[in-house]
Amino acid sequence: MENENLIWIFISALLVNNFTLSYFLGLCPFLGVSARLETAFRLGLANIFVMIITAICSYALNTWVLPYAPYLRLISFIIVIASAVQFVEMAVKKLSPELFRALGIFLPLITTNCAILGLALFATNKGYGFVEGLVYALGAGGGVTLALVLLAGIREETRILNIPKLIEGTALNLIIAGILSMAFMGFAGLFSAG
Amino acid sequence: MNDKPRSTEEFLKGLWNENPVFVAVLGMCPALAVTNSAINALAMGLATTFVLVFSSLLVSLFRNIIPKQVRITAFIIIIATFVTVVDFLLAAITPVIHKELGAFIALIVVNCLILGRQEAFASKNKVGLALADGLGMSLGFTFALLCIGVIREVLGNGSLFNISLFGDNFEPWVIMILPPGGFFALGFLLLFFNWFIQRRKKQNETKTQEI
């Protein structure tokens, strides 16, 4: 029963309530960094990485600090997550330059991304515990990566097409994203069926 | 020393020429997430206005005191404070809307529009100008949200501000109030804006040629 619940949380964050395509979180990098498939994939990995740190931090805050000062929720989330990511970034740089090069420039960029803060807030609202929070972060990060890679793949294909000048750029990307989002809505039935 | 015309100018540019959503494409997340009805869009716009104007005021006041190295952190703390205020305010005034907007009120903190204005404008300009800029930008943002919200509510629900428009015979386009509708509405609005800007450019070109 316990495991089943965790799987649901994972699938829900990954597909049904995809952070990018149905909550509209983290749209700036979604539209900005999805021109090439490889960068998009690396940004996605960095997202998963930061989300896991976020889940750990927000659990710690929720357990030990926020019961005493609920009005500090927002401020403490932002500051603690940002500094934790900085520390981990330094550690990664030292321990595994390989990994650092892959995630590199994206880490500071996405720290104050709304998907990250959104994850912390949603996990708190849903009252997830430690393991549930981690699984939720993994699913959400995977979902963001999936959406990024899909959009980047389609955008790479559109480059060889003959596109009217008027629709080029953000307008086209948004419409592609809309169609992707429609496709993801197909997963909405997963829960009621279960 | 002619401060007045300049502040009007700073105010107006946010409304149209540098509209944060349609031209600069900033603050997309709330622009799409909460615009499934006109009233939600309006509430979100006003909440953002409150936060942006007051943080611009504070940042501009303290612009000479905040050390350069920690300015971003300082901005974020200021913004987060006002967001907390607006969160509690909305919860007290309109609990229904507050519940519908949910976590997205808190997410105003990471709206890149607000931090962007602090970094690009308020931290370098006098209080009056910073206020004008903040007010203009946030009203431009509210206007854009309202555009998206009205389109989505009219098409997706057949109503405007919860007042039914077309009677019973209208079959609502449910897709418009669901997530994909947000992408489509903004995509087509941007398309319209591109067309508008290009047309004006062409007109200007022909004008200069005639002269």
Side-chain angles (χ1 to χ4, degrees), chain A:
Chain A
M1 190 63 215
E2 185 77 334
N3 282 333
E4 209 168 276
N5 198 16
L6 288 181
I7 293 169
W8 277 134
I9 291 175
F10 181 74
I11 300 279
S12 154
L14 183 71
L15 297 174
V16 184
N17 294 315
N18 186 287
F19 264 46
T20 314
L21 292 172
S22 69
Y23 285 155
F24 305 108
L25 294 172
L27 279 184
C28 304
F30 180 61
L31 296 171
V33 200
S34 57
R36 287 186 47 224
L37 196 56
E38 204 215 324
T39 20
F41 185 63
R42 275 165 45 193
L43 175 71
L45 286 187
N47 243 316
I48 298 181
F49 184 74
V50 176
M51 277 180 171
I52 289 173
I53 299 174
T54 305
I56 299 169
C57 290
S58 62
Y59 175 76
L61 279 173
N62 275 329
T63 322
W64 290 303
V65 182
L66 294 180
Y68 307 104
Y71 49 87
L72 278 182
R73 199 172 70 158
L74 212 47
I75 299 177
S76 60
F77 271 167
I78 288 187
I79 293 173
V80 171
I81 292 167
S83 27
V85 170
Q86 289 262 294
F87 279 121
V88 175
E89 191 190 344
M90 285 181 221
V92 169
K93 199 174 180 180
K94 195 93 192 158
L95 296 174
S96 154
E98 200 106 298
L99 184 65
F100 181 76
R101 229 170 293 134
L103 308 179
I105 47 166
F106 297 121
L107 286 181
L109 253 178
I110 51 177
T111 306
T112 49
N113 180 318
C114 41
I116 308 296
L117 186 62
L119 176 87
L121 290 171
F122 286 140
T124 312
N125 286 350
K126 291 181 177 170
Y128 283 158
F130 186 68
V131 183
E132 287 163 324
L134 271 185
V135 171
Y136 189 55
L138 216 57
V144 171
T145 314
L146 192 63
L148 265 167
V149 167
L150 280 175
L151 183 68
I154 296 176
R155 276 182 70 178
E156 283 201 339
E157 295 296 318
T158 59
R159 215 161 302 143
I160 47 175
L161 297 176
N162 199 0
I163 293 162
K165 196 104 191 106
L166 203 58
I167 198 177
E168 257 181 0
T170 319
L172 178 67
N173 298 341
L174 278 170
I175 292 168
I176 296 175
I179 296 168
L180 275 180
S181 165
M182 237 154 91
F184 269 73
M185 268 177 57
F187 292 117
L190 268 181
F191 269 108
S192 44

Side-chain angles (χ1 to χ4, degrees), chain A residues 162-173 175, chain B residues 22 186-202:
Chain A
N162 199 0
I163 293 162
K165 196 104 191 106
L166 203 58
I167 198 177
E168 257 181 0
T170 319
L172 178 67
N173 298 341
I175 292 168
Chain B
F22 293 143
L186 186 57
F188 283 108
L189 273 171
L190 281 177
L191 200 61
F192 172 73
F193 248 69
N194 282 350
W195 173 76
F196 190 79
I197 289 169
Q198 277 193 359
R199 210 184 63 151
R200 208 166 50 174
K201 245 189 219 157
K202 261 188 202 148

Side-chain angles (χ1 to χ4, degrees), chain B residues 45-63:
Chain B
L46 292 180
T48 311
T49 305
F50 176 86
V51 175
L52 182 50
V53 168
F54 278 96
S55 356
S56 278
L57 174 74
L58 223 64
V59 166
S60 180
L61 272 178
F62 293 125
R63 71 183 183 281

Side-chain angles (χ1 to χ4, degrees), chain B residues 99-168:
Chain B
K99 211 175 162 203
E100 260 183 57
L101 296 185
F104 285 98
I105 291 286
L107 286 174
I108 296 177
V109 180
V110 282
N111 188 334
C112 27
L113 164 68
I114 297 179
L115 190 61
R117 289 331 287 169
Q118 310 311 327
E119 169 74 7
F121 201 93
S123 59
K124 292 174 192 146
N125 285 287
K126 284 203 207 103
V127 177
L129 284 180
L131 272 182
D133 172 78
L135 204 61
M137 278 291 164
S138 46
L139 287 183
F141 183 71
T142 312
F143 166 71
L145 284 195
L146 207 55
C147 278
I148 305 172
V150 165
I151 292 178
R152 287 180 71 183
E153 195 184 342
V154 167
L155 291 179
N157 205 14
S159 64
L160 189 57
F161 290 108
N162 290 329
I163 302 163
S164 182
L165 287 180
F166 306 118
D168 295 335

Side-chain angles (χ1 to χ4, degrees), chain B residues 71-111:
Chain B
R71 65 182 192 287
I72 301 282
T73 321
F75 297 163
I76 289 183
I77 295 176
I78 291 174
I79 296 169
T81 314
F82 283 113
V83 172
T84 311
V85 171
V86 97
D87 196 12
F88 285 124
L89 265 182
L90 270 183
I93 301 171
T94 57
V96 179
I97 291 181
H98 180 262
K99 211 175 162 203
E100 260 183 57
L101 296 185
F104 285 98
I105 291 286
L107 286 174
I108 296 177
V109 180
V110 282
N111 188 334

